[in-house]
Amino acid sequence: MKNKLVTLMCACLPFVSQAALGHQENSVVPKISVQLWSVKDDIKSSFKQTISSLANMGFQGVEFAESFGPFENNPEGLKAFLKAKNLAASGAHLGFEQLNKQNFADTVAFYKAAGVSMLIVPWDERAWHPEGVKEVVSLLNDLSVQLKPHGMRIGFHNHDQEFNSFEGTTYWDYIAENTSQDVVLQQDVGWTTYAGKDPVEYVKRYPGRTLTTHYKVKLPEGTKGKLPIIGKDTIDWLALTKANIAVGGTLWIVVEQEEYPNGLTPMEAVQQSKRGLEKVLKQL
């Protein structure tokens, strides 16, 4: 995604530390959220109805993408609306500029009141630039420290470019290895596989860091006979989910749909991917 919760308090930290240090298995299946960018046009035209429809599909949470409908200036109302739909905010996507010195206090106040504790930067071109990536690492580490007293975490979300080669590894590995354990590595599985990398390996490589992960399909070029729908693609979702549970510390699986094959509407495509994910979860 190129544009643009459960509250993660101290109670969650022992589990994260355990996953990071002891690699012990966790039996808790992550909750299921949906990235609202998947249905961005529906959200803009009818925020409440769209959220209600997603709740009726059985989602347990939503991840925001800087669109809040009638609650743009009413985070308390937004939190209450979600609660009435039996939904939680699994996180939010936002740019670094929203957490700069001028905007930090207002941004934190809004998301805290809305019940959001994981703030994820979804896109920054510096992340695959030899000097820019160092700026990204510095920002993530600084924001991690600043957000911690508020019971919040900063995170970063990959695209395929972060897997370009850099200093004998990849930009994504550089970010992971040079940021605090408290910085969330929100893996976008679709982009990881599109880049030719193994998403399971990346969960295992950085234990306890995949607190939230995007389950999205981005078919590698040349793929035949598959669809960009969970369960109709090339990804071993069962192996990935087991890794997320055992090693990743994953609290939320976030379904994201950016392609709508065979004439499906965005809502229909989201529903099909959710059904595919449900079949995977039944195998656990």
Side-chain angles (χ1 to χ4, degrees):
M1 185 171 62
K2 297 185 178 180
N3 298 317
K4 346 187 221 256
L5 183 202
V6 291
T7 304
L8 188 61
M9 297 298 198
C10 294
C12 296
L13 297 180
F15 164 67
V16 173
S17 176
Q18 182 184 56
L21 299 177
H23 298 230
Q24 297 183 24
E25 289 204 10
N26 168 50
S27 60
V28 178
V29 176
K31 293 184 178 181
I32 309 303
S33 176
V34 56
Q35 165 53 243
L36 295 181
W37 183 256
S38 308
V39 290
K40 57 186 181 296
D41 292 336
D42 298 271
I43 283 290
K44 288 178 182 177
S45 63
S46 183
F47 183 90
K48 288 186 175 181
Q49 181 56 50
T50 301
I51 296 295
S52 297
S53 296
L54 293 169
N56 290 336
M57 287 184 195
F59 284 104
Q60 297 163 290
V62 297
E63 183 180 68
F64 293 107
E66 300 186 45
S67 183
F68 308 99
F71 303 103
E72 196 75 36
N73 299 305
N74 182 13
E76 295 86 358
L78 177 60
K79 182 178 181 180
F81 175 70
L82 292 182
K83 184 177 181 180
K85 301 297 179 180
N86 293 315
L87 292 169
S90 66
H93 278 191
L94 75 173
F96 279 123
E97 66 277 4
Q98 291 177 257
L99 290 167
N100 64 21
K101 189 175 295 186
Q102 294 74 26
N103 298 322
F104 183 87
D106 288 342
T107 297
V108 168
F110 179 90
Y111 283 112
K112 183 180 286 189
V116 181
S117 65
M118 281 198 272
L119 306 181
I120 311 295
V121 177
W123 169 264
D124 194 300
E125 292 185 0
R126 291 174 293 180
W128 53 89
H129 184 278
E131 294 303 320
V133 70
K134 298 172 185 177
E135 297 176 19
V136 169
V137 163
S138 179
L139 285 168
L140 291 170
N141 282 329
D142 289 347
L143 287 169
S144 179
V145 172
Q146 293 175 51
L147 288 170
K148 196 166 188 176
H150 300 281
M152 306 174 87
R153 287 179 181 262
I154 190 69
F156 200 76
H157 170 102
N158 69 278
H159 289 77
D160 58 324
Q161 295 97 325
E162 282 88 353
F163 291 105
N164 292 344
S165 296
F166 178 63
E167 293 191 352
T169 180
T170 71
Y171 284 99
W172 186 246
D173 289 282
Y174 182 88
I175 292 169
E177 291 167 4
N178 289 278
T179 51
S180 162
Q181 179 72 22
D182 290 333
V183 174
V184 178
L185 301 175
Q186 186 182 65
Q187 184 178 182
D188 185 306
V189 176
W191 285 118
T192 302
T193 55
Y194 184 79
K197 303 297 183 181
D198 180 359
V200 175
E201 176 190 347
Y202 271 92
V203 172
K204 294 179 177 179
R205 187 175 295 188
Y206 303 108
R209 302 286 299 274
T210 316
L211 300 187
T212 170
T213 181
H214 273 207
Y215 275 35
K216 181 185 79 186
V217 180
K218 179 67 176 175
L219 294 173
E221 292 182 12
T223 302
K224 303 293 184 182
K226 300 293 182 180
L227 293 174
I229 297 287
I230 294 174
K232 299 181 181 181
D233 58 303
T234 62
I235 297 169
D236 188 344
W237 295 106
L238 182 59
L240 176 64
T241 304
K242 288 180 177 178
N244 278 326
I245 293 171
V247 183
T250 307
L251 302 172
W252 287 96
I253 291 171
V254 184
V255 173
E256 183 178 31
Q257 197 70 37
E258 290 188 320
E259 297 178 62
Y260 317 106
N262 297 339
L264 293 173
T265 67
M267 291 292 284
E268 289 169 342
V270 165
Q271 187 167 42
Q272 285 202 13
S273 274
K274 184 176 185 298
R275 288 172 178 167
L277 175 57
E278 289 168 350
K279 292 179 181 178
V280 173
L281 298 180
K282 287 179 181 179
Q283 298 176 60
L284 292 172

